[in-house]
């Protein structure tokens, strides 16, 4: 017993060291980069949702800190996001911030429940082509979101953006002592301040808060009417938020070649949203773009996520004078780097090698997401398309072998494959209803009937042969198919031939 407890403590200590202290220096520096990059994004997402900038900034700080401890993917960044902000617009416009806080609270409750029910395993039903399409769409949207910062601006903005990109991509060839995005942000900020370059800055995006978030209950009537108002938005945010968080975790899994606990991630995201709702913050989720910044800047552990949240708060409260003077051109360059790093270029480079159906799913998911700005709709469209293509493929794998016995008076049909609503036509076409024989045997030993459409097709075959005067026997049904036939089939009923 003592040995068992010692081994358990040893495992916990190893896990703690791996998640928190295996990469401290790089995690701290990467977190600083992400913390700075979160500021304009949180402000922008607050504006999209129709709330004060501090709502997004407080949310980003709280969610990042909470998920650093409770999330299931070390190195992943969670905060206020555009995907969630888009879902809040109508609720905020019609009912105000206080109802948004209640919706955020309920969203978190739903996510905790989903985590407890271990619904994360349903992610295996999201095909890789859909995930690639989603990620590509996100990369394109991140890039498009930077264009307003590059339109109708002084020429110096283009120069600073180009110089920032040069630092980001060239500096790592000489040294990786500091993350190149952090160096670019520092150099451009110093240059803008001391050279007096007049370019748009972070301060132009909105006023930064000057105090810590304060605990308070949402000021709404706690009634069924309030529940009716916030429930649709809460449930949608819970589902979209978890989908985005799981896809973010999967991408970081791929980038770092390490596993994640997505059920823990669901619970961690839920608890983070519950807490942020009591401190005036909006709902958030996993951020693919910021997570890519973190990983590309060297962040791997939970310390990087914690540092991102803490540095964000430190920057807006203590360094606000400097942060407000940070050129947006430098942050735009960082986000362009994120866009380039996020896009799965191999999905187009190897397009000739990939099955056409998978390419169609990827492109459809990508285009629907880009043109609608609705991540849930894009992913849902991709999943439906994948399901249709898969069903068609399975439906084509229905084989019927025909053998004539007993002096050409007994025909045996041996069926192999999956019989369901999509494959019914192939199943029916395999039978020769013009042939005159005394006996028909339909052998389903290597087939499976999946739905009432399959049973109806079997009824049709049996009854057509019986009307032609043949004796029909169905053999080889497996247990599940037999149960379905016993419940739904009519070919064994006396009135079947009259229908």
């Amino acid at each position: 017993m003592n040995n068992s407890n010692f081994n358990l403590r040893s495992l916990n200590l190893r896990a703690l060291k791996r998640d928190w202290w295996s990469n401290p220096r790089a995690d701290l520096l990467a977190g600083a980069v992400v913390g700075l990059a979160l500021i304009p994004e949180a402000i922008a997402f607050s504006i999209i949702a129709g709330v004060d900038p501090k709502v997004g900034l407080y949310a980003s700080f709280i969610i990042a800190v909470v998920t650093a401890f409770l999330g299931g993917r070390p190195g992943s960044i969670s905060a206020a996001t555009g995907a969630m902000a888009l879902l809040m617009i109508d609720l905020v416009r019609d009912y105000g911030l206080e109802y948004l806080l209640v919706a955020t609270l309920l969203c978190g409750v739903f996510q905790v429940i989903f985590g407890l029910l271990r619904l994360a395993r349903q992610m295996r039903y999201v095909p890789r082509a859909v995930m690639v399409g989603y990620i590509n769409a996100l990369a394109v949207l991140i890039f498009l979101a930077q264009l307003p910062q590059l339109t109708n601006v002084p020429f110096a903005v283009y120069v600073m953006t180009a110089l920032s990109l040069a630092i980001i991509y060239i500096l790592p060839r000489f040294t990786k002592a500091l993350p190149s995005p952090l160096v670019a942000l520092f150099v451009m900020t110093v240059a803008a301040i001391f050279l007096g370059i007049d370019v748009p800055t972070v301060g132009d995006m909105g006023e930064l808060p000057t105090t810590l978030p304060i605990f308070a209950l949402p000021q709404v009537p706690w009634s069924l009417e309030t529940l009716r108002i916030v429930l649709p938005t809460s449930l949608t945010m819970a589902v979209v938020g978890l989908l985005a968080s799981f896809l973010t975790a999967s991408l970081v899994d791929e980038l770092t070649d390490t596993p994640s606990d997505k059920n823990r991630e669901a619970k961690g995201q839920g608890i983070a949203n519950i807490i942020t709702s009591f401190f005036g913050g909006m709902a958030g989720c996993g951020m693919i773009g910021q997570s890519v910044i973190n990983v590309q800047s060297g962040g791997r552990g939970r310390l990087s996520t914690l540092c991102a949240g803490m540095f964000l708060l430190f920057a807006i409260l203590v360094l606000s004078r400097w942060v407000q003077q940070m050129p947006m051109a430098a942050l735009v360059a960082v986000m362009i780097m994120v866009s380039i790093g996020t896009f799965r270029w191999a999905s187009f480079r190897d397009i000739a090698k990939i099955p056409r159906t998978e390419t169609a799913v990827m492109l459809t998911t990508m285009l629907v997401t880009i043109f609608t700005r609705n991540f849930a709709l894009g992913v849902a469209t991709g999943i439906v398309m994948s399901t249709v293509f898969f069903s068609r493929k399975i439906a084509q794998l229905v084989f019927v072998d025909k053998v004539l016995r007993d002096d050409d008076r007994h025909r045996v049909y041996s069926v192999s494959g999956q019989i369901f609503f999509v494959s019914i036509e192939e199943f029916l076409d395999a039978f020769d209803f013009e042939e005159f024989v005394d006996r028909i045997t339909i052998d389903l030993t290597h087939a499976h009937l999946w739905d009432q459409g399959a049973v109806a097709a079997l009824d049709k075959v049996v009854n057509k042969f019986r009307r032609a005067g043949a004796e029909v026997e169905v053999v080889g049904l497996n247990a599940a198919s037999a149960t379905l036939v016993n419940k739904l089939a009519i070919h064994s009923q006396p009135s079947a031939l009259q229908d």
Side-chain angles (χ1 to χ4, degrees):
M1 188 67 170
N2 290 335
N3 286 337
S4 176
N5 289 335
F6 175 79
N7 289 335
L8 185 60
R9 284 197 299 270
S10 178
L11 286 173
N12 289 336
L13 286 173
R14 282 203 296 269
L16 187 67
K17 182 177 179 181
R18 181 190 66 238
D19 288 351
W20 283 95
W21 305 110
S22 61
N23 189 41
R25 181 178 176 279
D27 281 347
L28 288 170
L29 292 172
V33 176
V34 173
L36 288 174
L38 280 174
I39 294 173
E41 289 209 338
I43 295 173
F45 298 149
S46 298
I47 294 170
I48 290 173
V51 297
D52 192 272
K54 69 180 180 181
V55 176
L57 290 166
Y58 285 157
S60 294
F61 156 63
I62 293 169
I63 294 171
V65 170
V66 173
T67 54
F69 291 96
L70 303 180
R73 173 62 262 182
S76 177
I77 303 297
S78 296
T81 66
M84 298 290 268
L86 290 170
L87 303 175
M88 306 170 186
I89 296 173
D90 292 341
L91 181 65
V92 173
R93 183 190 63 229
D94 296 338
Y95 297 98
L97 172 63
E98 297 300 321
Y99 280 85
L100 172 61
L101 299 181
V102 178
T104 298
L105 170 62
L106 189 56
C107 165
V109 172
F110 280 131
Q111 290 177 329
V112 171
I113 292 172
F114 293 158
L116 292 173
L117 294 176
R118 306 185 69 79
L119 295 183
R121 58 190 167 187
Q122 305 308 318
M123 268 295 292
R124 63 189 175 188
Y125 296 116
V126 179
R128 178 172 176 78
V130 175
M131 292 181 62
V132 172
Y134 174 94
I135 292 169
N136 285 348
L138 182 65
V140 172
L141 290 174
I142 289 173
F143 179 80
L144 293 177
Q146 311 314 309
L147 295 184
Q149 302 294 336
L150 299 173
T151 305
N152 298 322
V153 292
F155 181 74
V157 170
Y158 303 110
V159 175
M160 294 188 80
T161 302
L163 290 174
S164 298
L165 285 170
I167 293 172
I168 288 170
Y169 284 107
I170 295 175
L171 182 62
R173 298 183 182 181
F174 299 97
T175 177
K176 295 184 179 180
L178 290 172
S180 59
L182 185 60
V183 174
L185 291 171
F186 177 79
V187 170
M188 292 301 125
T189 302
V190 171
I193 293 173
F194 288 100
L195 297 179
I197 303 174
D198 185 16
V199 292
T201 63
V202 170
D204 298 330
M205 296 288 290
E207 186 179 352
L208 300 181
T210 57
T211 61
L212 290 169
I214 301 171
F215 178 87
L217 291 174
Q219 300 300 305
V220 299
W222 295 89
S223 63
L224 289 176
E225 176 62 17
T226 298
L227 179 63
R228 182 193 66 78
I229 291 170
V230 303
L231 183 60
T233 302
S234 299
L235 187 57
T236 304
M237 288 196 303
V239 173
V240 171
L242 286 187
L243 179 61
S245 299
F246 292 159
L247 289 173
T248 300
S250 296
L251 179 60
V252 177
D253 290 349
E254 183 178 326
L255 291 174
T256 62
D257 195 25
T258 55
S260 59
D261 183 343
K262 293 184 178 61
N263 287 307
R264 178 177 174 179
E265 180 73 6
K267 290 180 282 190
Q269 292 288 341
I271 294 171
N273 281 323
I274 291 172
I275 293 174
T276 195
S277 70
F278 291 118
F279 287 89
M282 58 198 278
C285 61
M287 304 181 75
I288 287 183
Q290 299 297 340
S291 297
V292 170
I293 291 180
N294 190 41
V295 172
Q296 291 186 342
S297 298
R300 293 294 183 273
R302 295 182 183 277
L303 185 61
S304 63
T305 307
L306 176 64
C307 181
M310 296 303 296
F311 194 83
L312 166 64
L313 184 67
F314 178 78
I316 61 179
L317 295 183
V318 180
L319 303 178
S320 59
R321 178 171 168 270
W322 295 90
V323 170
Q324 287 179 333
Q325 298 180 75
M326 185 181 298
M328 284 302 300
L331 285 165
V332 165
V334 172
M335 297 311 297
I336 290 174
M337 175 205 75
V338 171
S339 175
I340 294 171
T342 301
F343 198 88
R344 305 290 90 183
W345 299 100
S347 62
F348 284 87
R349 186 178 62 245
D350 300 333
I351 201 167
K353 305 175 185 177
I354 300 171
R356 283 188 227 173
T357 53
E358 291 192 32
T359 299
V361 169
M362 183 272 290
L363 290 174
T364 301
T365 303
M366 178 179 166
L367 294 175
V368 169
T369 303
I370 290 171
F371 286 109
T372 66
R373 299 297 201 273
N374 188 324
F375 293 96
L377 179 61
V379 171
T381 303
I383 292 174
V384 169
M385 280 190 66
S386 294
T387 303
V388 171
F389 286 139
F390 179 74
S391 298
R392 287 182 59 190
K393 189 178 295 185
I394 293 297
Q396 294 169 359
L397 300 178
V398 174
F399 303 101
V400 180
D401 187 35
K402 308 173 187 179
V403 177
L404 200 58
R405 298 177 180 171
D406 301 338
D407 298 328
D408 297 341
R409 307 305 302 163
H410 179 200
R411 172 70 73 181
V412 178
Y413 291 92
S414 298
V415 183
S416 300
Q418 311 301 313
I419 314 301
F420 61 114
F421 68 97
V422 178
S423 60
I424 288 172
E425 187 174 341
E426 285 78 5
F427 175 72
L428 293 174
D429 288 345
F431 295 91
D432 184 2
F433 297 109
E434 304 298 326
E435 184 180 38
F436 294 100
V437 292
D438 296 331
R439 289 180 59 205
I440 299 287
T441 297
I442 302 174
D443 185 356
L444 298 171
T445 302
H446 301 292
H448 188 101
L449 306 183
W450 284 101
D451 55 20
Q452 61 180 349
V455 176
L458 181 63
D459 281 336
K460 185 175 183 178
V461 171
V462 172
N463 290 334
K464 287 189 77 168
F465 279 128
R466 283 179 177 170
R467 289 192 186 101
E471 177 187 340
V472 183
E473 181 183 17
V474 178
V475 300
L477 286 168
N478 59 36
S481 299
T483 300
L484 197 63
V485 168
N486 290 337
K487 287 181 179 179
L488 301 176
I490 62 172
H491 63 256
S492 59
Q493 298 176 7
S495 60
L497 294 179
Q498 301 173 9
D499 295 338

